[in-house]
mmCIF file of all heavy atoms in Angstrom:
data_model
loop_
_atom_site.group_PDB
_atom_site.id
_atom_site.type_symbol
_atom_site.label_atom_id
_atom_site.label_comp_id
_atom_site.label_asym_id
_atom_site.label_seq_id
_atom_site.Cartn_x
_atom_site.Cartn_y
_atom_site.Cartn_z
ATOM 1 N N ALA A 461 88.564 -56.380 -133.738
ATOM 2 C CA ALA A 461 88.255 -55.492 -132.603
ATOM 3 C C ALA A 461 86.778 -55.234 -132.517
ATOM 4 O O ALA A 461 86.222 -55.191 -131.455
ATOM 5 C CB ALA A 461 88.969 -54.107 -132.838
ATOM 6 N N ASN A 462 86.142 -55.093 -133.787
ATOM 7 C CA ASN A 462 84.658 -54.915 -133.723
ATOM 8 C C ASN A 462 83.990 -56.167 -133.177
ATOM 9 O O ASN A 462 83.002 -56.062 -132.407
ATOM 10 C CB ASN A 462 84.196 -54.693 -135.186
ATOM 11 C CG ASN A 462 84.439 -53.342 -135.624
ATOM 12 O OD1 ASN A 462 84.801 -52.373 -134.797
ATOM 13 N ND2 ASN A 462 84.337 -53.014 -136.875
ATOM 14 N N VAL A 463 84.547 -57.348 -133.641
ATOM 15 C CA VAL A 463 83.926 -58.610 -133.128
ATOM 16 C C VAL A 463 83.987 -58.610 -131.599
ATOM 17 O O VAL A 463 83.042 -58.958 -130.855
ATOM 18 C CB VAL A 463 84.536 -59.787 -133.778
ATOM 19 C CG1 VAL A 463 84.223 -61.060 -133.060
ATOM 20 C CG2 VAL A 463 84.222 -59.935 -135.260
ATOM 21 N N GLU A 464 85.228 -58.269 -131.058
ATOM 22 C CA GLU A 464 85.430 -58.313 -129.627
ATOM 23 C C GLU A 464 84.465 -57.366 -128.899
ATOM 24 O O GLU A 464 83.922 -57.663 -127.892
ATOM 25 C CB GLU A 464 86.901 -57.952 -129.329
ATOM 26 C CG GLU A 464 87.347 -58.570 -128.034
ATOM 27 C CD GLU A 464 88.822 -58.153 -127.769
ATOM 28 O OE1 GLU A 464 89.583 -58.318 -128.762
ATOM 29 O OE2 GLU A 464 89.112 -57.785 -126.628
ATOM 30 N N LEU A 465 84.401 -56.139 -129.506
ATOM 31 C CA LEU A 465 83.448 -55.081 -128.920
ATOM 32 C C LEU A 465 82.024 -55.604 -128.920
ATOM 33 O O LEU A 465 81.344 -55.542 -127.906
ATOM 34 C CB LEU A 465 83.574 -53.819 -129.772
ATOM 35 C CG LEU A 465 83.038 -52.653 -129.087
ATOM 36 C CD1 LEU A 465 83.966 -52.151 -127.972
ATOM 37 C CD2 LEU A 465 82.807 -51.480 -130.106
ATOM 38 N N THR A 466 81.597 -56.202 -130.075
ATOM 39 C CA THR A 466 80.204 -56.695 -130.197
ATOM 40 C C THR A 466 80.001 -57.830 -129.203
ATOM 41 O O THR A 466 78.957 -57.920 -128.498
ATOM 42 C CB THR A 466 79.922 -57.240 -131.671
ATOM 43 O OG1 THR A 466 80.482 -56.276 -132.519
ATOM 44 C CG2 THR A 466 78.449 -57.370 -131.811
ATOM 45 N N THR A 467 81.053 -58.677 -128.991
ATOM 46 C CA THR A 467 80.883 -59.803 -128.061
ATOM 47 C C THR A 467 80.702 -59.254 -126.664
ATOM 48 O O THR A 467 79.864 -59.725 -125.922
ATOM 49 C CB THR A 467 82.081 -60.697 -128.093
ATOM 50 O OG1 THR A 467 82.472 -60.980 -129.431
ATOM 51 C CG2 THR A 467 81.912 -62.050 -127.353
ATOM 52 N N GLN A 468 81.524 -58.204 -126.362
ATOM 53 C CA GLN A 468 81.478 -57.723 -125.034
ATOM 54 C C GLN A 468 80.083 -57.063 -124.761
ATOM 55 O O GLN A 468 79.499 -57.283 -123.705
ATOM 56 C CB GLN A 468 82.611 -56.640 -124.785
ATOM 57 C CG GLN A 468 83.893 -57.318 -124.469
ATOM 58 C CD GLN A 468 85.004 -56.246 -124.437
ATOM 59 O OE1 GLN A 468 84.784 -55.087 -124.637
ATOM 60 N NE2 GLN A 468 86.203 -56.694 -124.186
ATOM 61 N N GLN A 469 79.681 -56.326 -125.734
ATOM 62 C CA GLN A 469 78.366 -55.599 -125.656
ATOM 63 C C GLN A 469 77.241 -56.623 -125.483
ATOM 64 O O GLN A 469 76.327 -56.555 -124.681
ATOM 65 C CB GLN A 469 78.129 -54.765 -126.938
ATOM 66 C CG GLN A 469 78.708 -53.370 -126.785
ATOM 67 C CD GLN A 469 78.510 -52.545 -127.977
ATOM 68 O OE1 GLN A 469 78.104 -53.077 -128.998
ATOM 69 N NE2 GLN A 469 79.019 -51.332 -127.923
ATOM 70 N N SER A 470 77.364 -57.687 -126.340
ATOM 71 C CA SER A 470 76.312 -58.762 -126.318
ATOM 72 C C SER A 470 76.249 -59.397 -124.956
ATOM 73 O O SER A 470 75.188 -59.662 -124.378
ATOM 74 C CB SER A 470 76.617 -59.813 -127.362
ATOM 75 O OG SER A 470 76.584 -59.238 -128.591
ATOM 76 N N ALA A 471 77.411 -59.691 -124.349
ATOM 77 C CA ALA A 471 77.560 -60.291 -123.047
ATOM 78 C C ALA A 471 76.898 -59.419 -122.030
ATOM 79 O O ALA A 471 76.129 -59.879 -121.153
ATOM 80 C CB ALA A 471 79.002 -60.542 -122.680
ATOM 81 N N ARG A 472 77.230 -58.054 -122.205
ATOM 82 C CA ARG A 472 76.618 -57.119 -121.222
ATOM 83 C C ARG A 472 75.125 -57.091 -121.322
ATOM 84 O O ARG A 472 74.367 -57.131 -120.299
ATOM 85 C CB ARG A 472 77.221 -55.664 -121.471
ATOM 86 C CG ARG A 472 77.477 -55.015 -120.128
ATOM 87 C CD ARG A 472 78.250 -53.678 -120.334
ATOM 88 N NE ARG A 472 79.512 -53.890 -121.056
ATOM 89 C CZ ARG A 472 80.036 -53.090 -121.907
ATOM 90 N NH1 ARG A 472 79.355 -52.025 -122.342
ATOM 91 N NH2 ARG A 472 81.198 -53.348 -122.443
ATOM 92 N N VAL A 473 74.640 -57.010 -122.615
ATOM 93 C CA VAL A 473 73.181 -56.955 -122.862
ATOM 94 C C VAL A 473 72.512 -58.224 -122.267
ATOM 95 O O VAL A 473 71.483 -58.189 -121.647
ATOM 96 C CB VAL A 473 72.940 -56.742 -124.330
ATOM 97 C CG1 VAL A 473 71.359 -56.857 -124.594
ATOM 98 C CG2 VAL A 473 73.306 -55.321 -124.737
ATOM 99 N N ALA A 474 73.266 -59.386 -122.540
ATOM 100 C CA ALA A 474 72.652 -60.631 -122.136
ATOM 101 C C ALA A 474 72.587 -60.690 -120.602
ATOM 102 O O ALA A 474 71.497 -61.117 -120.111
ATOM 103 C CB ALA A 474 73.564 -61.786 -122.599
ATOM 104 N N LEU A 475 73.577 -60.176 -119.965
ATOM 105 C CA LEU A 475 73.523 -60.097 -118.490
ATOM 106 C C LEU A 475 72.435 -59.256 -117.977
ATOM 107 O O LEU A 475 71.666 -59.672 -117.080
ATOM 108 C CB LEU A 475 74.925 -59.560 -117.968
ATOM 109 C CG LEU A 475 75.356 -59.992 -116.595
ATOM 110 C CD1 LEU A 475 75.764 -61.473 -116.562
ATOM 111 C CD2 LEU A 475 76.519 -59.181 -116.099
ATOM 112 N N ILE A 476 72.200 -58.055 -118.566
ATOM 113 C CA ILE A 476 71.239 -57.151 -118.162
ATOM 114 C C ILE A 476 69.853 -57.809 -118.461
ATOM 115 O O ILE A 476 68.969 -57.745 -117.622
ATOM 116 C CB ILE A 476 71.328 -55.823 -118.938
ATOM 117 C CG1 ILE A 476 72.560 -55.029 -118.437
ATOM 118 C CG2 ILE A 476 70.121 -54.905 -118.718
ATOM 119 C CD1 ILE A 476 72.919 -53.890 -119.311
ATOM 120 N N LEU A 477 69.747 -58.437 -119.599
ATOM 121 C CA LEU A 477 68.491 -59.032 -119.926
ATOM 122 C C LEU A 477 68.177 -60.175 -118.974
ATOM 123 O O LEU A 477 67.026 -60.390 -118.598
ATOM 124 C CB LEU A 477 68.441 -59.600 -121.300
ATOM 125 C CG LEU A 477 68.328 -58.466 -122.414
ATOM 126 C CD1 LEU A 477 68.412 -59.119 -123.795
ATOM 127 C CD2 LEU A 477 66.911 -57.783 -122.314
ATOM 128 N N THR A 478 69.229 -60.977 -118.607
ATOM 129 C CA THR A 478 68.979 -62.064 -117.672
ATOM 130 C C THR A 478 68.493 -61.572 -116.392
ATOM 131 O O THR A 478 67.472 -62.014 -115.822
ATOM 132 C CB THR A 478 70.261 -62.832 -117.472
ATOM 133 O OG1 THR A 478 70.745 -63.166 -118.799
ATOM 134 C CG2 THR A 478 70.035 -64.073 -116.599
ATOM 135 N N PHE A 479 69.133 -60.460 -115.842
ATOM 136 C CA PHE A 479 68.727 -59.893 -114.569
ATOM 137 C C PHE A 479 67.279 -59.286 -114.707
ATOM 138 O O PHE A 479 66.482 -59.441 -113.825
ATOM 139 C CB PHE A 479 69.665 -58.910 -114.062
ATOM 140 C CG PHE A 479 70.773 -59.422 -113.292
ATOM 141 C CD1 PHE A 479 72.102 -59.484 -113.833
ATOM 142 C CD2 PHE A 479 70.571 -60.183 -112.105
ATOM 143 C CE1 PHE A 479 73.216 -60.082 -113.100
ATOM 144 C CE2 PHE A 479 71.621 -60.764 -111.436
ATOM 145 C CZ PHE A 479 72.910 -60.748 -111.970
ATOM 146 N N GLY A 480 67.121 -58.617 -115.812
ATOM 147 C CA GLY A 480 65.745 -58.010 -116.127
ATOM 148 C C GLY A 480 64.687 -59.069 -116.115
ATOM 149 O O GLY A 480 63.664 -58.962 -115.467
ATOM 150 N N THR A 481 64.955 -60.215 -116.841
ATOM 151 C CA THR A 481 64.010 -61.339 -116.890
ATOM 152 C C THR A 481 63.714 -61.862 -115.516
ATOM 153 O O THR A 481 62.539 -62.128 -115.152
ATOM 154 C CB THR A 481 64.540 -62.453 -117.768
ATOM 155 O OG1 THR A 481 65.048 -61.836 -118.922
ATOM 156 C CG2 THR A 481 63.473 -63.481 -118.139
ATOM 157 N N LEU A 482 64.823 -61.974 -114.756
ATOM 158 C CA LEU A 482 64.616 -62.448 -113.375
ATOM 159 C C LEU A 482 63.814 -61.605 -112.521
ATOM 160 O O LEU A 482 62.882 -62.001 -111.822
ATOM 161 C CB LEU A 482 66.007 -62.581 -112.725
ATOM 162 C CG LEU A 482 66.183 -63.626 -111.641
ATOM 163 C CD1 LEU A 482 66.218 -65.061 -112.227
ATOM 164 C CD2 LEU A 482 67.482 -63.392 -110.965
ATOM 165 N N LEU A 483 64.033 -60.281 -112.693
ATOM 166 C CA LEU A 483 63.246 -59.330 -111.942
ATOM 167 C C LEU A 483 61.806 -59.360 -112.400
ATOM 168 O O LEU A 483 60.846 -59.300 -111.530
ATOM 169 C CB LEU A 483 63.817 -57.947 -112.265
ATOM 170 C CG LEU A 483 63.569 -56.895 -111.139
ATOM 171 C CD1 LEU A 483 64.485 -57.180 -109.941
ATOM 172 C CD2 LEU A 483 63.948 -55.470 -111.630
ATOM 173 N N VAL A 484 61.616 -59.384 -113.679
ATOM 174 C CA VAL A 484 60.227 -59.474 -114.176
ATOM 175 C C VAL A 484 59.568 -60.714 -113.749
ATOM 176 O O VAL A 484 58.388 -60.682 -113.191
ATOM 177 C CB VAL A 484 60.230 -59.374 -115.752
ATOM 178 C CG1 VAL A 484 58.758 -59.611 -116.240
ATOM 179 C CG2 VAL A 484 60.660 -57.985 -116.210
ATOM 180 N N ALA A 485 60.241 -61.840 -113.787
ATOM 181 C CA ALA A 485 59.686 -63.131 -113.321
ATOM 182 C C ALA A 485 59.333 -62.962 -111.853
ATOM 183 O O ALA A 485 58.208 -63.434 -111.385
ATOM 184 C CB ALA A 485 60.666 -64.191 -113.579
ATOM 185 N N LEU A 486 60.184 -62.425 -111.097
ATOM 186 C CA LEU A 486 59.918 -62.292 -109.598
ATOM 187 C C LEU A 486 58.788 -61.351 -109.363
ATOM 188 O O LEU A 486 57.918 -61.702 -108.486
ATOM 189 C CB LEU A 486 61.191 -61.727 -108.880
ATOM 190 C CG LEU A 486 62.349 -62.722 -108.633
ATOM 191 C CD1 LEU A 486 63.448 -62.050 -107.941
ATOM 192 C CD2 LEU A 486 61.801 -63.831 -107.676
ATOM 193 N N THR A 487 58.712 -60.254 -110.077
ATOM 194 C CA THR A 487 57.563 -59.426 -109.901
ATOM 195 C C THR A 487 56.238 -59.983 -110.272
ATOM 196 O O THR A 487 55.291 -59.924 -109.486
ATOM 197 C CB THR A 487 57.775 -58.084 -110.800
ATOM 198 O OG1 THR A 487 59.118 -57.648 -110.659
ATOM 199 C CG2 THR A 487 56.816 -56.986 -110.475
ATOM 200 N N ILE A 488 56.209 -60.734 -111.396
ATOM 201 C CA ILE A 488 55.056 -61.491 -111.821
ATOM 202 C C ILE A 488 54.635 -62.439 -110.738
ATOM 203 O O ILE A 488 53.518 -62.616 -110.319
ATOM 204 C CB ILE A 488 55.224 -62.180 -113.198
ATOM 205 C CG1 ILE A 488 55.381 -61.035 -114.262
ATOM 206 C CG2 ILE A 488 54.055 -63.104 -113.534
ATOM 207 C CD1 ILE A 488 55.723 -61.626 -115.619
ATOM 208 N N ALA A 489 55.706 -63.208 -110.257
ATOM 209 C CA ALA A 489 55.416 -64.265 -109.198
ATOM 210 C C ALA A 489 54.876 -63.628 -107.972
ATOM 211 O O ALA A 489 53.907 -64.159 -107.415
ATOM 212 C CB ALA A 489 56.698 -65.090 -108.975
#
Side-chain angles (χ1 to χ4, degrees):
N462 284 347
V463 165
E464 205 179 316
L465 196 75
T466 318
T467 313
Q468 280 173 359
Q469 275 177 353
S470 302
R472 217 172 301 141
V473 170
L475 206 71
I476 291 169
L477 282 177
T478 307
F479 275 113
T481 313
L482 205 72
L483 205 73
V484 171
L486 280 177
T487 313
I488 291 173

